[in-house]
């Protein structure tokens, strides 16, 4: 439940005279957690577990597709994830492990948030609430991860549906425009063939190749190629 980075910053000695910046707390705190509880490990497997979790968070913190403002949210999950992995070794082998699924889904959902301000705000609010709940409620029962993951998945599904609905309109407009261009190309070819070798006044040819061509395109679009 402790805000570990803030606690570390408070516990650090004050900066030396003339130094402007205070303590810089690293994003990945797993190595420091490992060192702090080194004497409490029952076996080497626990040590290896923390080393792997440290690598996992290193990957997340270095992933440029995750916006910087969201990295602190993942940072707050470090202690709960360490606890979950130490309690249950299936964290690494079971893709359906609740804590692992939550971490994966959070990372996936964070990727697109830098390009859509409304989405970023909505996702940040939900993710903050989810992480707060996990940090507050998680003791030894990973059910809290499952419940949080269901909330996150509901948000992701709703967002995907919103994007799909918005894209459907754009796709329909694009297909209509493409079909219109195809009909226009057929009409222009048809008119060129009919006008080939015929001497007509410039104004007549200009009318046929513009206004009349658009009229025939509309007819072809509405009634088919034989019209």
């Amino acid at each position: 439940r402790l805000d570990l980075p803030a606690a570390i910053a408070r516990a650090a000695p004050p900066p030396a005279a003339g130094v402007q910046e205070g303590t810089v707390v690293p994003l990945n705190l797993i190595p420091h957690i490992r060192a702090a509880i080194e004497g409490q490990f029952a076996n080497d497997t626990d040590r290896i577990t923390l080393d792997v979790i440290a690598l996992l968070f290193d990957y997340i913190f270095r992933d440029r597709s995750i916006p910087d403002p969201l990295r602190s949210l993942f940072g707050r999950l470090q202690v709960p994830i360490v606890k979950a992995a130490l309690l249950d070794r299936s964290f690494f082998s079971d893709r359906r492990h609740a804590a692992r699924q939550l971490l994966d889904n959070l990372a996936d959902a964070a990727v697109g948030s830098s390009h859509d301000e409304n989405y970023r705000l909505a996702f940040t609010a939900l993710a903050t609430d989810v992480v707060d709940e996990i940090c507050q409620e998680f003791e030894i029962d990973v059910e809290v991860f499952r419940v949080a993951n269901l909330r996150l998945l509901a948000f992701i599904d709703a967002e995907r549906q919103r994007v799909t609905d918005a894209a459907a309109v754009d796709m329909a407009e694009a297909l209509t425009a493409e079909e219109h261009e195809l009909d226009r190309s057929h009409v222009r070819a048809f008119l060129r063939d009919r006008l080939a070798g015929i001497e007509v006044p410039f104004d007549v040819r200009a009318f046929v190749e513009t206004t009349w061509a658009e009229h025939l395109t509309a007819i072809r679009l509405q009634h088919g190629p034989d019209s």
Side-chain angles (χ1 to χ4, degrees):
R1 295 185 180 91
L2 186 69
D3 184 347
L4 198 54
I8 292 174
R10 287 194 301 269
V19 178
Q20 297 296 323
E21 294 186 4
T23 302
V24 178
V25 181
L27 286 172
N28 195 341
L29 297 174
I30 307 297
H32 303 281
I33 296 171
R34 185 186 189 283
I37 61 175
E38 177 69 30
Q40 302 178 46
F41 288 126
N43 51 61
D44 287 338
T45 304
D46 289 342
R47 295 182 178 85
I48 295 172
T49 295
L50 261 73
D51 289 340
V52 176
I53 295 295
L55 291 173
L56 174 63
F57 276 98
D58 260 343
Y59 180 82
I60 292 174
F61 292 139
R62 292 176 181 176
D63 188 348
R64 292 300 177 188
S65 62
I66 297 176
D68 288 339
L70 294 176
R71 296 181 195 277
S72 60
L73 277 176
F74 288 92
R76 292 179 57 209
L77 282 175
Q78 290 176 95
V79 171
I81 293 296
V82 164
K83 285 176 62 178
L86 288 174
L87 285 167
D88 184 0
R89 296 287 185 266
S90 69
F91 177 88
F92 298 106
S93 59
D94 185 3
R95 291 178 179 271
R96 294 175 297 178
H97 190 285
R100 179 172 169 177
Q101 281 190 327
L102 177 75
L103 200 58
D104 288 343
N105 288 327
L106 269 177
D108 286 342
V111 168
S113 60
S114 58
H115 305 297
D116 186 333
E117 181 66 12
N118 291 332
Y119 173 80
R120 185 183 66 78
L121 292 174
F123 170 72
T124 301
L126 175 67
T128 300
D129 194 33
V130 163
V131 172
D132 284 344
E133 184 176 327
I134 290 172
C135 291
Q136 183 65 32
E137 301 295 333
F138 179 48
E139 294 288 353
I140 60 174
D141 187 359
V142 296
E143 176 70 9
V144 66
F145 287 99
R146 191 188 69 81
V147 173
N149 201 41
L150 288 175
R151 292 181 59 195
L152 182 61
L153 286 175
F155 172 83
I156 293 172
D157 289 342
E159 178 61 22
R160 284 175 178 165
Q161 187 60 51
R162 183 186 70 83
V163 172
T164 299
D165 293 343
V169 176
D170 293 337
M171 287 292 293
E173 291 177 353
L175 289 173
T176 300
E178 184 178 347
E179 186 177 357
H180 192 272
E181 286 301 317
L182 181 61
D183 285 321
R184 181 183 285 112
S185 297
H186 281 291
V187 166
R188 286 176 175 171
F190 168 78
L191 292 175
R192 281 198 302 270
D193 291 342
R194 291 302 180 95
L195 292 174
I198 300 177
E199 291 292 337
V200 294
F202 172 79
D203 290 342
V204 173
R205 181 177 291 274
F207 170 78
V208 169
E209 292 182 349
T210 55
T211 304
W212 190 246
E214 286 300 315
H215 177 62
L216 293 184
T217 298
I219 292 175
R220 178 187 170 94
L221 187 64
Q222 184 175 0
H223 299 291
D226 295 331
S227 59

